[in-house]
Amino acid sequence: MNFRKRQEEIEKSCLSPYASLSSKSKGRCRPEEKCSIRTDFQRDRDRILHSKAFRRLKHKTQVFISPEGDHYRTRLTHTLEVSQIARTISRSLRLNEDLTEAIALGHDLGHTPFGHTGEQVLNELLETGFRHEEQSVRVVDFLEQGKGLNLTWEVRDGIKNHTTHGNPATLEGQVVRLSDWIAYINHDIDDAERAGILKPEDLPQESVKVLGKKHGERIDTMIKDVISTSFKQPIVAMSDDIYNATQKLRSYLFESVYVGSSSAKTQEKKVKTMLRLLFEYYILHPNFMPPEFIKISKEENIKRAVADYIAGMTDIYAIKKFREFFIPSSWPLEI
């Protein structure tokens, strides 16, 4: 029995008319033989999950740079929370949960070390700019394993368009875009409260009244609203009241946590200096990069290669390389 074909038939009979069917995928950049067990979207999910780029997310900053404590979110735990929220919504709307999960797990593969601070630095250093969603596509198309993961068009589209200004072509991509929003707004509030930057009473009370006082209550309200608003509709969205309350929370986070002089940003200047110096060092010494990035420097250009290399670094590895290149090492004296 061909189990993949059986699953494709189940999708056709059980999923919403608005769902993306794996059997109707627009395909891959490079043709390849199909799996006899997994659908194309399941195969993409597995490729992302087993990638080195995915594993590196565990040591990349979400918001708090080098926090002391084990309970702050990292880019990996953020990704898992997005995936959980997105799967819940997709399942309720009878969308393709495998496609949703693949997009969610891959959406931040191209994120820099030190969160959006690292992204800002590379955006300033590259003439063409740098956006983490575009870098995520570059990872799955080209950088991972030196040849990319050869993912389906639908997964790549969802990854590229997961940010607020994106326009995903599939409803599964729309689910991930909203789930990313729901996840980071709520877990960043939770982390900020844990760090003592915010108190529950500091949050906009008009939003709290609509969404809930506690972390779980707010997520529950948002997810249920997305499901009820989007059920049997050709679009995934929030109702106006919940959207406006959520947007006020997001704006408050930008004012109180993401920018300015909050304690979450105390290390930002150091990070910017460190990444700029690393960028300049590799421009002058490209042979200190791994062979695959030296190859990119010759086939494209040196700045693109350095940006690719630095974007793939974890926080820990970037600090290690900075210490190696710029901090004097101690050495024993013989008496």
Side-chain angles (χ1 to χ4, degrees):
M1 180 183 293
N2 188 307
F3 290 96
R4 172 184 52 78
K5 289 184 178 180
R6 182 172 178 269
Q7 291 188 76
E8 290 174 348
E9 291 303 315
I10 292 173
E11 287 183 0
K12 291 177 183 178
S13 62
C14 295
L15 295 185
S16 161
Y18 302 117
S20 301
L21 301 178
S22 56
S23 60
K24 301 293 184 180
S25 171
K26 292 185 179 180
R28 307 180 186 279
C29 294
R30 301 186 301 275
E32 58 182 60
E33 184 178 352
K34 290 183 178 292
C35 179
S36 62
I37 298 175
R38 297 167 296 169
T39 68
D40 285 350
F41 298 150
Q42 290 172 340
R43 203 174 191 184
D44 284 358
R45 175 203 58 203
D46 294 350
R47 288 179 179 181
I48 291 168
L49 190 63
H50 291 288
S51 69
K52 291 185 293 184
F54 183 80
R55 294 196 293 275
R56 289 197 299 268
L57 295 177
K58 67 180 178 180
H59 291 306
K60 290 193 176 190
T61 290
Q62 174 60 26
V63 171
F64 291 84
I65 296 171
S66 300
E68 292 185 3
D70 296 327
H71 297 149
Y72 292 93
R73 270 74 173 187
T74 64
R75 190 62 57 176
L76 178 60
T77 56
H78 161 73
T79 295
L80 296 177
E81 290 186 34
V82 172
S83 178
Q84 176 267 322
I85 292 170
R87 288 177 59 197
T88 297
I89 295 173
S90 270
R91 187 179 302 164
S92 299
L93 297 178
R94 291 174 39 232
L95 299 177
N96 195 312
E97 195 175 338
D98 296 321
L99 172 57
T100 302
E101 186 176 20
I103 296 170
L105 293 177
H107 82 280
D108 269 355
L109 290 180
H111 223 302
T112 59
F114 306 105
H116 289 284
T117 300
E119 182 176 17
Q120 181 182 345
V121 171
L122 292 183
N123 186 52
E124 293 169 356
L125 291 171
L126 284 180
E127 288 85 354
T128 54
F130 182 96
R131 300 187 68 90
H132 76 272
E133 63 271 27
E134 295 173 355
Q135 187 68 14
S136 294
V137 176
R138 185 169 169 84
V139 168
V140 300
D141 280 358
F142 178 58
L143 296 176
E144 182 69 25
Q145 300 177 7
K147 59 181 181 180
L149 300 176
N150 197 28
L151 303 182
T152 57
W153 182 91
E154 291 78 6
V155 173
R156 295 169 60 251
D157 171 81
I159 291 173
K160 183 178 180 180
N161 290 287
H162 78 267
T163 59
T164 52
H165 63 269
N167 185 27
T170 66
L171 264 62
E172 290 82 1
Q174 293 178 28
V175 167
V176 173
R177 182 180 58 180
L178 267 182
S179 299
D180 185 36
W181 211 48
I182 293 170
Y184 78 70
I185 288 172
N186 285 288
H187 66 49
D188 290 351
I189 290 173
D190 188 50
D191 280 352
E193 289 178 355
R194 178 174 293 106
I197 296 173
L198 300 179
K199 298 178 181 178
E201 56 267 28
D202 294 333
L203 299 175
Q205 291 306 299
E206 59 270 35
S207 293
V208 171
K209 290 177 182 178
V210 174
L211 302 173
K213 294 182 179 180
K214 298 181 179 179
H215 173 76
E217 291 175 357
R218 289 190 291 267
I219 293 179
D220 187 64
T221 299
M222 292 176 188
I223 290 175
K224 287 179 178 177
D225 180 76
V226 171
I227 293 169
S228 61
T229 303
S230 310
F231 189 65
K232 293 185 178 181
Q233 300 297 319
I235 190 171
V236 178
M238 287 179 170
S239 66
D240 289 343
D241 288 346
I242 299 300
Y243 176 85
N244 291 334
T246 304
Q247 182 62 52
K248 286 179 182 178
L249 271 187
R250 181 174 181 268
S251 297
Y252 176 76
L253 282 173
F254 271 91
E255 295 169 3
S256 305
V257 179
Y258 299 150
V259 298
S261 57
S262 80
S263 56
K265 314 300 287 183
T266 54
Q267 304 298 311
E268 190 174 84
K269 289 184 179 179
K270 296 178 183 178
V271 166
K272 289 182 176 180
T273 299
M274 180 178 68
L275 293 182
R276 285 180 176 276
L277 287 172
L278 279 176
F279 191 90
E280 293 170 3
Y281 186 88
Y282 285 119
I283 292 292
L284 295 174
H285 306 90
N287 289 336
F288 280 81
M289 295 190 295
E292 59 267 33
F293 295 98
I294 296 174
K295 182 180 179 183
I296 293 172
S297 72
K298 296 175 179 178
E299 294 178 349
E300 297 187 49
N301 61 74
I302 182 62
K303 286 190 175 181
R304 178 71 262 179
V306 173
D308 285 338
Y309 185 41
I310 290 178
M313 292 181 177
T314 62
D315 297 12
I316 295 171
Y317 188 75
I319 292 171
K320 175 179 179 292
K321 301 310 289 186
F322 180 82
R323 184 180 292 118
E324 178 182 326
F325 296 145
F326 295 104
I327 306 298
S329 300
S330 59
W331 52 284
L333 290 173
E334 294 185 4
I335 300 175

